[in-house]
Amino acid sequence: MSSLLSLREVAKAYRGDAAPFALEVPAFELAEGEALALAGPSGSGKSTLLMMLALALPPDVGRFTFAGSDIARLWREGRRDALAALRARRIGVVPQTGGLLPYLTVAGNIGLTQRIAGCEDAARVRMLAEELGIGAQLRKRPAELSVGQRQRVAIARALAHRPALVLADEPTASVHPELADAVLALLKRECDQAGAALLVATHDPERAARAGYPVLACETHAPGADGIARSVFARASLVEAA
Amino acid sequence: MLRLALADLWHERVLFLCSALGCAAVLAPLIVLFGLRQGVVAGLRAELLEDPRAREVVSIVNRTLEPALFARLAADPRVAFLVPRTRALSATIVLENQARPGRGVRMELLPTGPGDPLLPGLAAGEGLVLSPTAAERLGLRPGDTALASVARSVGSAREVLTLSLPVASIAPASAATRDAAFAGVPVLLLAEDFLDGNAPVDARPGTVEASRARPFAGFRLHAARLEDVPALDRELRLAGIEVASRAGSVAGLLRLDHNLALLFLAIAGAGGAGYLVSLGVGLWAQVERKRRDLALLSLLGMKRRALLMLPLVQAAAVALAGALLAFGVAAAVAGVLNRAFAGTVAGDRPVCLLTAGMGVAAAGVTLAGALLASVLAGARAAAVAPAEGLAEG
C-alpha cells in the first residue's frame, strides 16, 4: 500500500478557546483507501489537524506530502490556486453540520464538488443519493430536509467527485446518538466502495471503534514552562511498521 | 459560477429586490434632477440658438474699414459668418414688380452672402431674397423678376440706375420684419458708387472678388458659438468699432447656465456620493453575510478568482436592476413634470430631458461603484482561510 498522506515533524501553533495551543505531528501516515478515526477531547486540535490535512491551513513547519505533492512547499510559495485545485480534485470534506448551500437543491449541492472539479456526472449523483437513501429528496432544498438527511447529502457531496481522501469533522456531533452509528458506518462503507481514504475527527473513540475504525488518540500535555499546552498526534510510519 | 451566483440571487429574491429598490430609490431623484438641468438649460440655450440674431454682432456707426480688418475677422475661428455693408443712407432702393409698373416700394437693401445664418438654406446669388412683407406688398414670388432702381440728381437732372434682378427666395420672418431685400455685396457697392457719382447709369454689379479689395462702412457678423458673442463684442468695442449685439443677454444666459451647472453639480455630487456609499455598504454587508458560503466554496476547492466573481456578479445584477428601475421611475416622473410644466418654463420644450445616453451613464456609474465595493468586500472575503468553512460548519 502506498502512502497517500505523509507528515513529518509538523507543528502548528494556534489559539484554542483560551490558552495558546501547539499541535505537533512527529510522524503521520495514511495509506490509500485506509480509514482512521482521530480521537481527542474537544479543543485538542483534531479540527486544526483536519483542516491542515484538508489543505485549508498551512503548517508552521515540517514536511507534508499528499498524493505525491509537496504541500508544505505549495504553502510556502503561496500557490493557493494549486492548493485549491488539489482540494477540488482529490479531497472531499464533510463539515460538522453539513455546510450545504441553502440556495441549491440537494442534487445541486451533491454535484457542486463535481462542478468545481470539472467532472460533472449526474448518474453518480443519483447513484450516491440512492445509496444514501436520499434519492427522493434530490429536487428539494436543504431547508426541507432533516438533520440526518442533510448529513447524508454532505457525505454524498464529499464523494461525488471521486476524491482520494475524505475528511469528516465530527460528522456525528449534530445527529441523534442512534443516527451517529449509522452515519459513521455509512461513511466507512461509502469510502470503502469508492476506494477513498477516510479520516474522521471524533471526541467519541468508542463509537468509532464500534463502527470498525482504527482509532488514533491524541496525547495531550498540560501547559509546560512556556505556558503552551501541546497536543501530539503520532502514527508510526508504514515503512517503520513494516 | 454564473449559475451559482444567480441561483443564490433567486433564492433570496426578496432581498435582491430590496437592494435593487434601495439602489433605485436614491438614484431616481438624481436622474430626475439631472434631466431637469438638461431640460431647462438646454431649452433656454436652444431658444437663443434658434434665433440667429442671438449670435449677431453688427457695426452701427459708418466708418471706413479697410480690407485688412475684414480679412482678419474672416480668419477668426470665432466668426462663423461675415458680410460687409455699405453706408446705411446709400443702401436704399425702390423695388418694383415688372408686372405692376408704377407701384414701387422703397426699402432697405441688406447685404448677404453664402451661408448667411439669417437666411438658412437660402442664397441670393446674383438676385434678391425678399422679406416676407416686401414680397407680399409687391406680389412677388421666387422665380419672378424684380426691377430695382436707385436715383441720383446730377445738377438739375435726375438719373436712374435700374437693375433687373431675379427673386431667389423669400426670407423667414425672423430675418427681417420690415420691407427689405437681401442682395450680394456687389449690388450694394454698385448702388453706393452710383449715388456717389462714381458709376454711370448703365453700370452693372461687379464680382465678389473685386469687392474684397474695397473698404466698407460697416459689417454684420455671426459668432460661431453663443459663448463667443460677449468676447467679440468687447474686443470690437476696444478696437474702436461701435457694435450692437445681444452680448448682455447671452452673458446672462451663460452665467445662468454656469450657476445652474454648479448648483446641480453640488446637489448631484452630494447625492451621488451618498448613493455610492449606500450602494457600497449594502453590497459590503451582503458579502459579509455570504462569508461562510464563500469559505465553504473555497474549502471545496474553488479558486480565488472564481470566488471573487460570486459577489461581483451579484453586485452587477443589483446595480443593473436598480439602475433600470431608477430610470423607469425617473422617466415616469419626467413625463408628469413635462405635462405639468408644458409651455411655462422652457417653451414647448420638455422641462425634464432624459436621454438614453443618460440612462447608460447612470447604469455605468452604478455598475462601476457596485463593482468597486464588491471587489473590495469580495477580496476581503476571498482572503478568508478556507478553514472557516469547516470550523463553523
Side-chain angles (χ1 to χ4, degrees), chain A residues 114-174:
Chain A
Q114 293 183 346
R115 264 203 261 157
I116 293 174
C119 59
E120 286 183 56
D121 182 352
R124 182 166 171 80
V125 170
R126 262 197 313 280
M127 191 271 282
L128 282 168
E130 291 299 337
E131 221 155 85
L132 289 161
I134 45 174
Q137 334 290 334
L138 278 174
R139 301 180 69 86
K140 292 186 182 167
R141 310 266 165 189
E144 301 168 61
L145 304 183
S146 70
V147 176
Q149 284 173 324
R150 270 183 245 168
Q151 200 65 353
R152 277 179 276 167
V153 173
I155 291 171
R157 183 182 63 189
L159 286 163
H161 56 306
R162 301 176 192 276
L165 173 65
V166 172
L167 299 160
D169 188 18
E170 303 273 11
T172 59
S174 57

Side-chain angles (χ1 to χ4, degrees), chain B residues 24 71 103:
Chain B
R103 290 168 63 185

Side-chain angles (χ1 to χ4, degrees), chain A residues 47 50-51 54-57 75 80-82 84-85 87-88 91 93-104 112-113 115-116 120 141 157 167 169, chain B residues 1 3-5 7-12 290 292-293 296-305 310 314 382-393:
Chain A
S47 292
L50 218 56
M51 281 186 248
L55 315 187
L57 265 187
W75 275 115
R80 282 166 162 264
D81 279 353
R87 283 202 298 275
I91 296 178
V93 176
V94 184
Q96 263 185 40
T97 51
L100 304 178
L101 293 179
Y103 48 87
L104 294 180
L112 192 58
T113 49
R115 264 203 261 157
I116 293 174
E120 286 183 56
R141 310 266 165 189
R157 183 182 63 189
L167 299 160
D169 188 18
Chain B
M1 186 62 256
R3 242 160 68 192
L4 262 186
D8 189 7
L9 278 186
W10 180 244
H11 184 69
E12 299 190 319
K290 292 276 145 75
R292 230 189 67 184
D293 286 355
L296 178 83
L297 286 169
S298 169
L299 180 66
L300 294 185
M302 191 171 271
K303 293 202 169 68
R304 277 171 59 98
R305 211 170 323 138
L310 257 178
Q314 296 182 345
V384 169
E388 254 188 47
L390 187 61
E392 295 170 44

Side-chain angles (χ1 to χ4, degrees), chain B residues 170-370:
Chain B
I170 310 299
S174 61
T177 46
R178 291 164 296 161
D179 292 343
F182 289 91
V185 175
V187 177
L188 275 92
L189 270 179
L190 177 60
E192 188 174 53
D193 286 348
F194 179 75
L195 287 174
D196 290 349
N198 294 334
V201 176
D202 57 354
R204 286 296 168 263
T207 62
V208 176
E209 283 72 36
S211 66
R212 288 228 176 88
R214 303 265 307 259
F216 284 91
F219 59 83
R220 168 166 65 91
L221 72 75
H222 289 255
R225 299 177 312 139
L226 212 49
E227 286 85 343
D228 298 330
V229 173
L232 284 170
D233 182 279
R234 196 172 52 247
E235 283 168 31
L236 287 168
R237 281 172 201 276
L238 278 178
I241 301 168
E242 199 61 23
V243 290
S245 75
R246 294 206 194 153
S249 61
V250 167
L253 173 84
L254 291 178
R255 226 176 5 255
L256 176 70
D257 183 15
H258 181 74
N259 291 347
L260 273 182
L262 261 179
L263 186 71
F264 280 113
L265 201 69
I267 297 176
Y275 167 58
L276 287 180
V277 167
S278 82
L279 183 71
V281 297
L283 289 169
W284 188 285
Q286 187 169 331
V287 173
E288 284 293 311
R289 216 160 39 78
K290 292 276 145 75
R291 242 173 114 96
R292 230 189 67 184
D293 286 355
L294 290 175
L296 178 83
L297 286 169
S298 169
L299 180 66
L300 294 185
M302 191 171 271
K303 293 202 169 68
R304 277 171 59 98
R305 211 170 323 138
L307 225 48
L308 246 170
M309 285 300 289
L310 257 178
L312 227 64
V313 167
Q314 296 182 345
V318 169
L320 284 183
L324 211 67
L325 219 62
F327 204 73
V329 170
V333 171
V336 171
L337 282 179
N338 287 343
R339 221 160 310 132
F341 289 103
T344 54
V345 180
D348 49 1
R349 241 171 273 285
V351 180
C352 188
L353 191 70
L354 297 181
T355 61
M358 281 168 59
V360 171
V365 169
T366 305
L367 200 60

